[in-house]
Amino acid sequence: RPPRAHRPPRRLLPLAPRVKETSGWQQVFSSPRLDWAIERVALNAKVLGGALGDHDKMVAAASSSEIILWALRADGSGSEIGVFHLGVPVEALFFVGNQLIATSHTGKIGVWNAVTKHWQIQDVVPINSYDAAGTFLLLGCNNGSIYYV
């Protein structure tokens, strides 16, 4: 794979737009300006048992090995839940049920659970691919195995 051309970091803000019936898209949330370029984002529209009750929306953003997570209220205001570290570059960031998942091809996976409010990191076989359905996660690994989590 050829090396990627160096691009200057862009400092973008995660936004959570929604469609408004008569006027198109409307901005609902804008994070505070971050000191790092946002490389990955994830949105969960409903989190049962989340930080603000059963009607939470959560937005996550990652850069390098850092992940920041916000809870959004119906009025568009948001509050930071926390900043988490994977220890290696985050290559995928997504929600499975009420859990935020961060993976790296190196074989590290980080999981934040909205119910327990716990962040944990686990070492697994290097990950090549993943898929999620409902609350289930499949990991395709470089040893030829598929792990069902």
Side-chain angles (χ1 to χ4, degrees), residues 13-75:
L13 304 176
L15 300 176
R18 69 176 165 211
V19 175
K20 204 173 173 190
E21 290 293 322
T22 57
S23 62
W25 291 99
Q26 170 189 7
Q27 180 179 310
V28 177
F29 166 77
S30 177
S31 75
R33 183 168 295 277
L34 303 175
D35 291 332
W36 34 269
I38 296 169
E39 298 170 349
R40 309 275 183 265
V41 292
L43 171 68
N44 195 351
K46 182 166 178 145
V47 181
L48 296 176
L52 302 174
D54 286 346
H55 301 289
D56 285 354
K57 291 179 182 69
M58 291 195 303
V59 172
S63 179
S64 187
S65 64
E66 282 195 8
I67 302 146
I68 188 167
L69 181 63
W70 294 274
L72 308 183
R73 295 180 188 86
D75 66 3

Side-chain angles (χ1 to χ4, degrees), residues 129-143:
S129 61
Y130 70 90
D131 193 19
T135 59
F136 303 106
L137 175 63
L138 292 176
L139 299 174
C141 297
N142 76 348
N143 67 354

